[in-house]
Amino acid sequence: TGAITGEINEPVRSFFNIPLVISGNVVGVLTVAHTKPGLYQEEEMTILYKIVNQASHAVTKLEEVVKTEEGKLNAMVESMSDGIVMTDKDYRVAVVNPAVKTIIGLPDKKDITIFDFIDHLEGKFDIRGKLEESIMLGKIFTADEVVIGEGFYQVIVAPVRTTHGGVKGETVAGVVIFHDVTKERQVEKMRDQFTSM
């Protein structure tokens, strides 16, 4: 697909194409054209090729930096013991770590959706409703004790806001954190039993 800038009432008589290459892949072609014949000289084209090449090189470097940072962030989220789920504003799951898959009983499932959480939480926690409230109202919600399977979890639902670019402070996603408090509850139970004895 492409876009022509300006109105053209005559046939094109002069043109040249410059490929846009990002990370070794051609992602587009910039076409410079005019209705006058023999307009573009080699010297002008060479300068424009150099400018586009430098811009493509800069974008490639930026893309590499973004991928590296994304990889670090993914590795960090994957290694966390707390279950982490992040959805976009339409409640489509964007990030889900292995811990949360284990918590809801789907450790080997590849593509997790919000409906998997709804089904496996079996009405014990309204994840969809709390995400909706958090994203719409911009508030953090905490459930101190949710029983899931054999464990007890503190569940925190929070909005994700932009810190720069676009509209600063705009809510763009929601995150749910499942913090395992089973050991703390067991210790409390043992302390209560000891006290009652």
Side-chain angles (χ1 to χ4, degrees), residues 129-172:
K130 290 299 179 194
L131 270 168
E132 191 172 340
E133 282 183 65
S134 182
I135 289 170
M136 298 283 276
L137 303 175
K139 291 187 174 180
I140 297 172
F141 295 96
T142 304
D144 288 325
E145 191 173 293
V146 177
V147 179
I148 305 170
E150 304 284 312
F152 295 89
Y153 296 88
Q154 180 186 51
V155 184
I156 301 158
V157 183
V160 177
R161 294 185 180 97
T162 55
T163 55
H164 55 277
V167 180
K168 199 170 183 180
E170 179 188 7
T171 301
V172 292

Side-chain angles (χ1 to χ4, degrees), residues 83 85 99-106 116-127 143-156 176-182 185:
V85 183
V100 83
K101 288 181 180 183
T102 302
I103 290 166
I104 65 167
L106 296 170
D116 291 314
F117 285 96
I118 293 166
D119 292 345
H120 287 81
L121 291 173
E122 299 169 340
K124 294 170 186 170
F125 182 76
D126 180 13
I127 190 169
D144 288 325
E145 191 173 293
V146 177
V147 179
I148 305 170
E150 304 284 312
F152 295 89
Y153 296 88
Q154 180 186 51
V155 184
I156 301 158
V176 184
I177 302 167
F178 291 81
H179 177 62
D180 192 344
V181 292
T182 306
R185 295 298 175 264

Side-chain angles (χ1 to χ4, degrees), residues 69-80 82-102 104 109-114 116-117 127 131 156 158 160 172-178:
E69 293 305 312
E70 219 173 57
K72 287 179 191 175
L73 186 62
N74 286 342
M76 182 188 74
V77 170
E78 294 231 343
S79 66
M80 292 177 74
D82 286 345
I84 307 286
V85 183
M86 190 166 129
T87 70
D88 63 14
K89 285 172 81 169
D90 297 318
Y91 318 109
R92 289 185 295 258
V93 174
V95 176
V96 59
N97 72 346
V100 83
K101 288 181 180 183
T102 302
I104 65 167
K109 187 163 186 197
K110 269 191 114 62
D111 298 317
I112 302 277
T113 69
I114 196 71
D116 291 314
F117 285 96
I127 190 169
L131 270 168
I156 301 158
V160 177
V172 292
V175 67
V176 184
I177 302 167
F178 291 81

